[in-house]
Amino acid sequence: MTADAPQLWAEHQVATLAEGAREWTVPPYGSLAWSQLPPNDPRRYAAVIEAAEQWRRQVAEGKRLDQLADHDPAAWYAEVTAGANDEARRLAGRLARVRTLADLDAARAHRPPHQLRATPGWPPVANAGKPGRYLYPAPCAMAA
C-alpha cells in the first residue's frame, strides 16, 4: 500500500517533533500517560497527530466499505467476513480431531471381554488370573 499525502505529512511532523529527543515513546492520545506529560512536551503533539491520522484512516475505510456495500454487496460481504472465515478454517482442523459426544459414549459403552485364542505357530498364551495354565491352539486350527 502506498502512502498518501496526509499520511506522509503526519509522519514528517512526528519525525520533526522527535528530532533531538533522547526518549521517544508516544503515549496514546487521551491516555493517563499522555495527560501526565508537560503541556509543551512534543510527544503530546505527536500523539494528537497520530490520533488524527488513525481517525482519518478509519473514516476513509468506513466510507470505502459503505461504497462497496452499495455497489457490490457480495464483495463487501466477502471482505468483512474474510477474517471470520480464516478463523473458522483455522479452527475446523482442530474441531475435526475432537471426539464427539457419540464417540465418547461409544468408548464408555460396555464391551464383552476379548476372548483369548492361541495362534498356531506361536507359543502358548498364559491364562490371566490362572497361574500355570496356558491356552494352546485348537487341534483343528493346527491342521489347517
Side-chain angles (χ1 to χ4, degrees), residues 58-72 75-77 79-80:
Q58 183 176 345
V59 168
E61 178 65 6
K63 287 180 181 178
R64 186 189 69 78
L65 286 174
D66 287 346
Q67 288 176 348
L68 185 61
D70 291 343
H71 297 3
D72 190 353
W76 171 85
Y77 184 80
E79 186 169 333
V80 298

Side-chain angles (χ1 to χ4, degrees), residues 81-94:
T81 60
N85 289 338
D86 292 342
E87 184 67 12
R89 276 189 287 282
R90 188 183 71 73
L91 289 174
R94 268 198 296 164

Side-chain angles (χ1 to χ4, degrees), residues 12-62:
H12 174 72
Q13 293 302 314
V14 170
T16 302
L17 289 168
E19 283 179 9
R22 286 193 304 264
E23 179 194 334
W24 190 255
T25 304
V26 179
Y29 172 72
S31 68
L32 179 61
W34 179 84
S35 65
Q36 291 174 343
L37 291 172
N40 61 349
D41 192 318
R43 292 177 293 172
R44 286 181 77 106
Y45 302 115
V48 170
I49 292 169
E50 288 176 356
E53 178 60 16
Q54 289 173 356
W55 177 253
R56 183 191 66 81
R57 288 182 196 168
Q58 183 176 345
V59 168
E61 178 65 6

